[in-house]
Amino acid sequence: MPISKSLRRACAITCLMALTLAGPVAAQETTSPPREPAKSVLSIELNRVVANEAGCRLGFVTQNRIGSDLSKTAFEIVLFNPEGLIERMLVLDFGAMPEGRTKVREFNLPNAPCDSIARILVNDVSACEGEGVAEGACASALSASSRTDVAFGL
């Protein structure tokens, strides 16, 4: 049975309309918005505070996401007592921090009972070394948090 001329014309118009409508949709699916560059972060989390016979042990979890391995890192920290007074200033050497890795570091604080520490401040970056690491990269990427009752921040 032959197809009438009007039926062929209707089919052709329908096909053209479908292609016209589908064209922009297909283009939208392949176009994505520009991505923002990943933010550099050097995170230090105070994960635990444990009393021991010598004083107090602080446990930190660190993550280096600044884009480069760090061969040496150290931070000047300040311990505050419950009254908000400075108890002690010291430098904690966190050592190497490979890019993209999570590391745990623990530090014993002799003659510092844990209940005398209410707040810990990262006062300064004492060392931040690595190939291609710009000056100030660690300080600008630094992030501090605490999972303990002791406040920890910048």
Side-chain angles (χ1 to χ4, degrees):
M1 178 169 190
I3 299 176
S4 71
K5 190 175 184 181
S6 63
L7 187 56
R8 282 190 300 223
R9 181 178 288 181
C11 184
I13 291 171
T14 303
C15 288
L16 283 173
M17 287 176 62
L19 288 172
T20 302
L21 293 173
V25 172
Q28 289 174 356
E29 290 175 5
T30 59
T31 305
S32 59
R35 289 186 173 182
E36 291 184 26
K39 183 178 178 186
S40 294
V41 177
L42 181 61
S43 67
I44 304 174
E45 172 191 273
L46 178 60
N47 188 269
R48 71 180 188 165
V49 177
V50 179
N52 60 28
E53 61 282 346
C56 191
R57 175 177 288 166
L58 305 177
F60 295 91
V61 177
T62 64
Q63 283 192 328
N64 172 7
R65 304 252 187 251
I66 67 167
S68 298
D69 289 341
L70 297 172
S71 58
K72 183 178 182 180
T73 56
F75 304 95
E76 180 184 74
I77 67 164
V78 181
L79 307 177
F80 293 88
N81 68 20
E83 291 78 35
L85 301 174
I86 296 169
E87 282 291 315
R88 187 185 294 186
M89 289 180 71
L90 60 149
V91 174
L92 299 180
D93 184 353
F94 281 76
M97 296 174 93
E99 163 64 28
R101 295 264 325 268
T102 301
K103 301 287 277 185
V104 174
R105 298 282 191 248
E106 290 193 317
F107 300 94
N108 287 316
L109 304 178
N111 303 318
C114 290
D115 59 1
S116 72
I117 304 170
R119 179 177 161 225
I120 300 174
L121 168 73
V122 179
N123 199 46
D124 199 7
V125 176
S126 297
C128 176
E129 299 173 11
E131 189 173 323
V133 177
E135 187 176 333
C138 288
S140 64
L142 196 57
S143 165
S145 62
S146 178
R147 288 186 181 247
T148 72
D149 292 337
V150 176
F152 181 58
L154 307 176

